[in-house]
Amino acid sequence: NSPSPITIAAGDSLRLERGIITAGGLTVDGTLILEGNLTMSTPTMTVNPGASVLVRSASFANASATFTHPLTVSGTLRLMSQNTTPAAVNFGTNALTIAAGGTLDFATGVAENHALSAASIDNNGTITFGSSAAVTGPIAQRNLMTVSALKTATLSSPLTLFTGSVTTNLGTLAL
């Protein structure tokens, strides 16, 4: 916890295992690894191009991350599992924006059926379902979305397709 802004420099990483993370702001230029049950309670958080936020279930803990603020991802937000429990991310009443060049990746791992919930999801970049996942919150699909073979993307809110968007479904897209 810090009242000052925190920056994770390119090439550096920070691994957080559990608790409530408060800071005057968080800028990710490197890699932020979230494991265990965490609440990201910063007034702002920036994920810059080339940076990664990994929400990862690991051998010792599940991964459940709650964000108390909207988030724009210009790098990568990846949900992944190294144990038998899927990863989960909750934005509550806040929005998730995948910027042009940014990626939301439901990664292949030990567990399937990751979960993400947000008030809205605005995809100007890429959403990849390499693992089955459930998404709660309306999606404005403006660029690329891919559901891999034998995987299921379960969307419990409207999916709006905009001109120029491309949705590749090799698996199952359940609306």
Side-chain angles (χ1 to χ4, degrees), residues 41-79:
S41 184
T42 58
T44 61
M45 181 172 165
T46 304
V47 182
N48 287 320
S52 295
V53 175
L54 309 178
V55 181
R56 179 173 74 187
S57 292
S59 59
F60 67 90
N62 303 332
S64 177
T66 299
F67 291 80
T68 62
H69 50 78
L71 180 63
T72 297
V73 177
S74 297
T76 299
L77 173 59
R78 177 170 291 129
L79 284 73

Short mmCIF file of all heavy atoms in Angstrom, two decimals, residues 41-79:
data_model
loop_
_atom_site.label_atom_id
_atom_site.label_comp_id
_atom_site.label_asym_id
_atom_site.label_seq_id
_atom_site.Cartn_x
_atom_site.Cartn_y
_atom_site.Cartn_z
N SER A 41 -7.44 -1.54 -5.65
CA SER A 41 -8.18 -0.34 -5.25
C SER A 41 -7.30 0.89 -5.45
O SER A 41 -6.92 1.56 -4.50
CB SER A 41 -8.62 -0.48 -3.79
OG SER A 41 -9.40 0.62 -3.41
N THR A 42 -6.96 1.15 -6.70
CA THR A 42 -6.17 2.32 -7.04
C THR A 42 -7.07 3.28 -7.82
O THR A 42 -7.97 2.84 -8.51
CB THR A 42 -4.96 1.93 -7.92
OG1 THR A 42 -5.43 1.29 -9.10
CG2 THR A 42 -4.02 0.99 -7.19
N PRO A 43 -6.86 4.60 -7.70
CA PRO A 43 -7.73 5.52 -8.42
C PRO A 43 -7.58 5.39 -9.94
O PRO A 43 -8.53 5.63 -10.67
CB PRO A 43 -7.31 6.89 -7.93
CG PRO A 43 -5.95 6.72 -7.35
CD PRO A 43 -5.86 5.30 -6.89
N THR A 44 -6.38 5.02 -10.39
CA THR A 44 -6.15 4.81 -11.81
C THR A 44 -5.19 3.64 -11.99
O THR A 44 -4.38 3.35 -11.12
CB THR A 44 -5.51 6.04 -12.50
OG1 THR A 44 -4.25 6.30 -11.88
CG2 THR A 44 -6.41 7.26 -12.40
N MET A 45 -5.33 2.98 -13.13
CA MET A 45 -4.40 1.91 -13.49
C MET A 45 -4.26 1.94 -15.00
O MET A 45 -5.25 1.97 -15.71
CB MET A 45 -4.90 0.56 -13.02
CG MET A 45 -3.96 -0.58 -13.33
SD MET A 45 -4.52 -2.10 -12.53
CE MET A 45 -3.53 -3.30 -13.40
N THR A 46 -3.02 1.94 -15.48
CA THR A 46 -2.74 2.00 -16.90
C THR A 46 -1.92 0.77 -17.29
O THR A 46 -0.92 0.48 -16.65
CB THR A 46 -1.94 3.27 -17.25
OG1 THR A 46 -2.67 4.41 -16.79
CG2 THR A 46 -1.70 3.38 -18.74
N VAL A 47 -2.38 0.06 -18.33
CA VAL A 47 -1.63 -1.08 -18.87
C VAL A 47 -1.19 -0.67 -20.27
O VAL A 47 -1.98 -0.65 -21.20
CB VAL A 47 -2.49 -2.36 -18.91
CG1 VAL A 47 -1.66 -3.53 -19.43
CG2 VAL A 47 -3.05 -2.68 -17.53
N ASN A 48 0.08 -0.29 -20.38
CA ASN A 48 0.60 0.28 -21.62
C ASN A 48 0.94 -0.78 -22.66
O ASN A 48 1.05 -1.97 -22.33
CB ASN A 48 1.83 1.14 -21.31
CG ASN A 48 1.44 2.44 -20.63
OD1 ASN A 48 0.43 3.06 -20.99
ND2 ASN A 48 2.21 2.86 -19.65
N PRO A 49 1.12 -0.38 -23.94
CA PRO A 49 1.50 -1.35 -24.98
C PRO A 49 2.74 -2.12 -24.57
O PRO A 49 3.69 -1.55 -24.03
CB PRO A 49 1.77 -0.46 -26.20
CG PRO A 49 0.92 0.75 -25.98
CD PRO A 49 0.96 0.97 -24.48
N GLY A 50 2.72 -3.43 -24.81
CA GLY A 50 3.85 -4.29 -24.46
C GLY A 50 3.81 -4.79 -23.03
O GLY A 50 4.59 -5.67 -22.66
N ALA A 51 2.93 -4.24 -22.20
CA ALA A 51 2.82 -4.65 -20.79
C ALA A 51 1.80 -5.77 -20.64
O ALA A 51 0.95 -5.96 -21.50
CB ALA A 51 2.41 -3.45 -19.94
N SER A 52 1.88 -6.51 -19.53
CA SER A 52 0.96 -7.61 -19.27
C SER A 52 0.48 -7.60 -17.83
O SER A 52 1.25 -7.33 -16.92
CB SER A 52 1.65 -8.96 -19.51
OG SER A 52 1.99 -9.12 -20.85
N VAL A 53 -0.82 -7.90 -17.68
CA VAL A 53 -1.39 -8.20 -16.37
C VAL A 53 -1.86 -9.64 -16.45
O VAL A 53 -2.71 -9.99 -17.28
CB VAL A 53 -2.56 -7.27 -16.01
CG1 VAL A 53 -3.20 -7.69 -14.70
CG2 VAL A 53 -2.09 -5.82 -15.94
N LEU A 54 -1.29 -10.52 -15.62
CA LEU A 54 -1.64 -11.93 -15.59
C LEU A 54 -2.46 -12.20 -14.34
O LEU A 54 -1.96 -12.00 -13.23
CB LEU A 54 -0.39 -12.81 -15.58
CG LEU A 54 0.67 -12.54 -16.65
CD1 LEU A 54 1.85 -13.47 -16.45
CD2 LEU A 54 0.08 -12.72 -18.03
N VAL A 55 -3.69 -12.64 -14.51
CA VAL A 55 -4.51 -13.09 -13.38
C VAL A 55 -4.39 -14.60 -13.43
O VAL A 55 -4.93 -15.25 -14.32
CB VAL A 55 -5.97 -12.61 -13.50
CG1 VAL A 55 -6.78 -13.08 -12.31
CG2 VAL A 55 -6.01 -11.09 -13.62
N ARG A 56 -3.63 -15.17 -12.46
CA ARG A 56 -3.17 -16.55 -12.59
C ARG A 56 -3.48 -17.38 -11.35
O ARG A 56 -3.05 -17.05 -10.26
CB ARG A 56 -1.67 -16.53 -12.84
CG ARG A 56 -1.02 -17.88 -12.97
CD ARG A 56 0.41 -17.76 -13.38
NE ARG A 56 1.25 -17.30 -12.27
CZ ARG A 56 2.53 -16.99 -12.39
NH1 ARG A 56 3.12 -17.07 -13.57
NH2 ARG A 56 3.23 -16.60 -11.35
N SER A 57 -4.24 -18.46 -11.56
CA SER A 57 -4.40 -19.47 -10.52
C SER A 57 -3.11 -20.28 -10.51
O SER A 57 -2.70 -20.81 -11.54
CB SER A 57 -5.59 -20.38 -10.81
OG SER A 57 -6.79 -19.68 -10.69
N ALA A 58 -2.46 -20.35 -9.35
CA ALA A 58 -1.19 -21.05 -9.24
C ALA A 58 -1.33 -22.23 -8.28
O ALA A 58 -2.40 -22.47 -7.73
CB ALA A 58 -0.11 -20.09 -8.77
N SER A 59 -0.24 -22.92 -8.05
CA SER A 59 -0.28 -24.15 -7.26
C SER A 59 -0.81 -23.93 -5.85
O SER A 59 -1.42 -24.81 -5.27
CB SER A 59 1.11 -24.77 -7.20
OG SER A 59 2.01 -23.85 -6.63
N PHE A 60 -0.63 -22.75 -5.30
CA PHE A 60 -1.01 -22.52 -3.92
C PHE A 60 -2.32 -21.75 -3.76
O PHE A 60 -2.85 -21.64 -2.66
CB PHE A 60 0.09 -21.75 -3.18
CG PHE A 60 0.25 -20.36 -3.70
CD1 PHE A 60 -0.45 -19.31 -3.16
CD2 PHE A 60 1.11 -20.10 -4.76
CE1 PHE A 60 -0.32 -18.03 -3.66
CE2 PHE A 60 1.25 -18.82 -5.25
CZ PHE A 60 0.54 -17.80 -4.69
N ALA A 61 -2.83 -21.16 -4.83
CA ALA A 61 -3.98 -20.28 -4.65
C ALA A 61 -4.82 -20.14 -5.91
O ALA A 61 -4.31 -20.26 -7.03
CB ALA A 61 -3.50 -18.89 -4.23
N ASN A 62 -6.08 -19.86 -5.71
CA ASN A 62 -6.96 -19.49 -6.80
C ASN A 62 -6.64 -18.06 -7.20
O ASN A 62 -5.95 -17.36 -6.47
CB ASN A 62 -8.42 -19.58 -6.35
CG ASN A 62 -8.76 -20.95 -5.85
OD1 ASN A 62 -8.17 -21.94 -6.26
ND2 ASN A 62 -9.71 -21.03 -4.95
N ALA A 63 -7.16 -17.62 -8.32
CA ALA A 63 -6.97 -16.24 -8.73
C ALA A 63 -8.33 -15.60 -8.92
O ALA A 63 -9.12 -16.02 -9.75
CB ALA A 63 -6.17 -16.16 -10.02
N SER A 64 -8.59 -14.59 -8.09
CA SER A 64 -9.82 -13.83 -8.20
C SER A 64 -9.46 -12.37 -7.96
O SER A 64 -9.12 -11.97 -6.84
CB SER A 64 -10.83 -14.31 -7.16
OG SER A 64 -12.00 -13.52 -7.23
N ALA A 65 -9.50 -11.58 -9.02
CA ALA A 65 -9.11 -10.18 -8.93
C ALA A 65 -10.33 -9.29 -9.12
O ALA A 65 -11.11 -9.48 -10.05
CB ALA A 65 -8.06 -9.84 -9.99
N THR A 66 -10.48 -8.33 -8.22
CA THR A 66 -11.55 -7.35 -8.30
C THR A 66 -10.92 -5.98 -8.53
O THR A 66 -9.98 -5.60 -7.82
CB THR A 66 -12.38 -7.33 -7.00
OG1 THR A 66 -12.96 -8.62 -6.82
CG2 THR A 66 -13.47 -6.28 -7.06
N PHE A 67 -11.43 -5.26 -9.51
CA PHE A 67 -10.94 -3.91 -9.81
C PHE A 67 -12.01 -2.92 -9.40
O PHE A 67 -13.17 -3.07 -9.79
CB PHE A 67 -10.63 -3.77 -11.31
CG PHE A 67 -9.44 -4.57 -11.75
CD1 PHE A 67 -9.56 -5.92 -12.00
CD2 PHE A 67 -8.20 -3.97 -11.89
CE1 PHE A 67 -8.46 -6.67 -12.41
CE2 PHE A 67 -7.10 -4.71 -12.29
CZ PHE A 67 -7.23 -6.06 -12.55
N THR A 68 -11.63 -1.90 -8.64
CA THR A 68 -12.59 -0.90 -8.15
C THR A 68 -12.63 0.33 -9.05
O THR A 68 -13.14 1.36 -8.64
CB THR A 68 -12.25 -0.48 -6.71
OG1 THR A 68 -10.96 0.13 -6.71
CG2 THR A 68 -12.27 -1.66 -5.76
N HIS A 69 -12.10 0.21 -10.26
CA HIS A 69 -12.03 1.33 -11.19
C HIS A 69 -12.14 0.80 -12.61
O HIS A 69 -11.87 -0.38 -12.87
CB HIS A 69 -10.71 2.08 -11.02
CG HIS A 69 -9.52 1.15 -11.06
ND1 HIS A 69 -9.02 0.62 -12.23
CD2 HIS A 69 -8.78 0.61 -10.07
CE1 HIS A 69 -8.02 -0.18 -11.96
NE2 HIS A 69 -7.85 -0.21 -10.65
N PRO A 70 -12.52 1.65 -13.56
CA PRO A 70 -12.49 1.23 -14.97
C PRO A 70 -11.04 0.95 -15.38
O PRO A 70 -10.10 1.45 -14.77
CB PRO A 70 -13.04 2.43 -15.73
CG PRO A 70 -13.67 3.31 -14.71
CD PRO A 70 -13.01 3.01 -13.40
N LEU A 71 -10.87 0.14 -16.41
CA LEU A 71 -9.53 -0.19 -16.88
C LEU A 71 -9.49 -0.16 -18.41
O LEU A 71 -10.37 -0.72 -19.06
CB LEU A 71 -9.11 -1.58 -16.38
CG LEU A 71 -7.72 -2.06 -16.79
CD1 LEU A 71 -6.63 -1.15 -16.22
CD2 LEU A 71 -7.50 -3.49 -16.34
N THR A 72 -8.46 0.51 -18.94
CA THR A 72 -8.17 0.46 -20.37
C THR A 72 -6.88 -0.32 -20.54
O THR A 72 -5.86 0.01 -19.93
CB THR A 72 -8.04 1.86 -20.97
OG1 THR A 72 -9.29 2.54 -20.83
CG2 THR A 72 -7.66 1.81 -22.45
N VAL A 73 -6.92 -1.36 -21.37
CA VAL A 73 -5.77 -2.22 -21.60
C VAL A 73 -5.22 -1.96 -22.99
O VAL A 73 -5.89 -2.23 -23.99
CB VAL A 73 -6.16 -3.71 -21.46
CG1 VAL A 73 -4.99 -4.61 -21.77
CG2 VAL A 73 -6.69 -3.99 -20.06
N SER A 74 -4.00 -1.41 -23.05
CA SER A 74 -3.31 -1.22 -24.33
C SER A 74 -2.28 -2.33 -24.54
O SER A 74 -1.74 -2.46 -25.63
CB SER A 74 -2.62 0.14 -24.36
OG SER A 74 -3.58 1.17 -24.27
N GLY A 75 -2.01 -3.10 -23.50
CA GLY A 75 -1.12 -4.27 -23.56
C GLY A 75 -1.96 -5.53 -23.54
O GLY A 75 -2.85 -5.70 -24.37
N THR A 76 -1.72 -6.41 -22.55
CA THR A 76 -2.43 -7.69 -22.47
C THR A 76 -2.99 -7.90 -21.06
O THR A 76 -2.28 -7.71 -20.08
CB THR A 76 -1.49 -8.87 -22.80
OG1 THR A 76 -1.01 -8.69 -24.13
CG2 THR A 76 -2.19 -10.20 -22.69
N LEU A 77 -4.26 -8.30 -20.99
CA LEU A 77 -4.88 -8.80 -19.77
C LEU A 77 -5.14 -10.27 -20.01
O LEU A 77 -5.91 -10.63 -20.90
CB LEU A 77 -6.18 -8.06 -19.46
CG LEU A 77 -7.01 -8.61 -18.27
CD1 LEU A 77 -6.21 -8.59 -16.98
CD2 LEU A 77 -8.30 -7.82 -18.13
N ARG A 78 -4.44 -11.14 -19.26
CA ARG A 78 -4.53 -12.59 -19.50
C ARG A 78 -5.04 -13.30 -18.25
O ARG A 78 -4.50 -13.12 -17.16
CB ARG A 78 -3.16 -13.13 -19.88
CG ARG A 78 -3.10 -14.64 -20.08
CD ARG A 78 -1.78 -15.09 -20.68
NE ARG A 78 -1.73 -14.62 -22.06
CZ ARG A 78 -0.69 -13.93 -22.56
NH1 ARG A 78 0.36 -13.65 -21.82
NH2 ARG A 78 -0.72 -13.54 -23.82
N LEU A 79 -6.07 -14.12 -18.42
CA LEU A 79 -6.57 -15.00 -17.37
C LEU A 79 -6.03 -16.38 -17.66
O LEU A 79 -6.18 -16.90 -18.77
CB LEU A 79 -8.10 -15.04 -17.34
CG LEU A 79 -8.80 -13.81 -16.74
CD1 LEU A 79 -8.72 -12.62 -17.67
CD2 LEU A 79 -10.24 -14.14 -16.43
#
